[in-house]
Amino acid sequence: MSRQRAKLVVGNWKMHGRMQENAVLLTEVASGASALRNGVDVGVCVPYPYLAQAQALLEGSVVRWGVQDVSAHAQGAFTGEVAAEMTLDFGATYAIVGHSERRAYHHETPELVGAKARRALEAGLTPIVCVGETLDEREREATEQVIGAQLDAVLLMLNEEQAARIVVAYEPVWAIGTGKSATADQAQRVHAFLRKKLAEKCAAAAEVPLLYGGSVKPENAQELFGQQDIDGGLIGGASLKSKDFLAICQAARTVLQ
Ligand code: PGA
């Protein structure tokens, strides 16, 4: 019964960071993460201009790096966009797609998020596909309908082999940056639902990492990560402080023991 999937903890820096403070943060994260024993994968998704810095400071460490968005197009006249292949030139592993801030502020549609996930996979990146409901949707008991549709729009664009290579992050919009995390029970229920939906598409659904995101902190990480279908976290605010981020990584390690 008990599956020991590896845990995965990924920092989402959002639009934070400057060269000097990044150097300290990346160095501390690299050295702290090396002290974690096997079973926990660690990543950071940085703003594009700092991808080269992340590569320079993380290469050879156990920490992988990536970006927070990626173009749905391979190349061409798309001013301001960044292609997946460009990020590969800097050793990127991950691309977050469909973060709720991009859906809300940049009007990204479910179809566009699916196209971005497919493009990332075709290029060899691992997309971290974000899904999540608003407070209003939760109160209307529409959570499964909303996140089910968000996931379906992505799965529709992928073949089974590609679907097995994604990471899904459940991030309730009402929990992001609010300090108010979902309870472990609320999150587990949604993760079980996501796992079931994935299983309709792909035989390897049990292997797909499902992350929880939204006000994860050292104090609540262990309980969240201890749930059967929660394989780690996507960490915003707390990923900007090495001590907190590493404590969250350590919590992932603790639940594996
Ligand atoms: P938070 O953000 O940890 O600051 O709530 C999570 C996210 O938006 O990925």
Side-chain angles (χ1 to χ4, degrees), residues 74-192:
Q75 61 167 28
F78 300 102
T79 302
E81 294 270 282
V82 172
E85 276 80 1
M86 297 172 182
T87 74
L88 290 179
D89 282 343
F90 297 93
T93 294
Y94 299 111
I96 297 173
V97 298
H99 191 280
S100 62
E101 287 151 15
R102 295 211 61 87
R103 292 182 195 259
Y105 308 145
H106 301 272
H107 311 293
E108 293 197 4
T109 62
E111 294 70 31
L112 179 62
V113 174
K116 288 182 172 194
R118 184 170 67 191
R119 187 78 270 291
L121 286 160
E122 285 168 351
L125 290 171
T126 298
I128 300 176
V129 177
C130 298
V131 298
E133 83 288 4
T134 62
L135 186 58
D136 176 58
E137 289 161 345
R138 175 160 280 269
E139 284 171 349
R140 282 193 284 113
E141 297 184 3
T143 299
E144 291 193 357
Q145 187 195 328
V146 169
I147 64 168
Q150 289 172 345
L151 184 61
D152 279 344
V154 172
L155 294 179
L156 200 64
M157 307 285 284
L158 310 181
N159 62 35
E160 185 178 349
E161 176 273 325
Q162 290 171 324
R165 288 195 286 125
I166 66 174
V167 172
V168 179
Y170 168 53
E171 298 206 310
V173 177
W174 47 272
I176 295 177
T178 58
K180 188 179 183 302
S181 153
T183 64
D185 186 52
Q186 281 174 324
Q188 166 56 28
R189 278 167 201 265
V190 175
H191 281 232

Side-chain angles (χ1 to χ4, degrees), residues 5 13 18 24 28 46 93 98 124 131 154 157 178 183-184 188 202 232 245 254:
R5 277 184 295 272
W13 286 11
R18 295 296 301 276
V24 176
E28 288 176 357
V46 302
T93 294
V131 298
V154 172
M157 307 285 284
T178 58
T183 64
Q188 166 56 28
C202 99
F245 187 60
T254 304

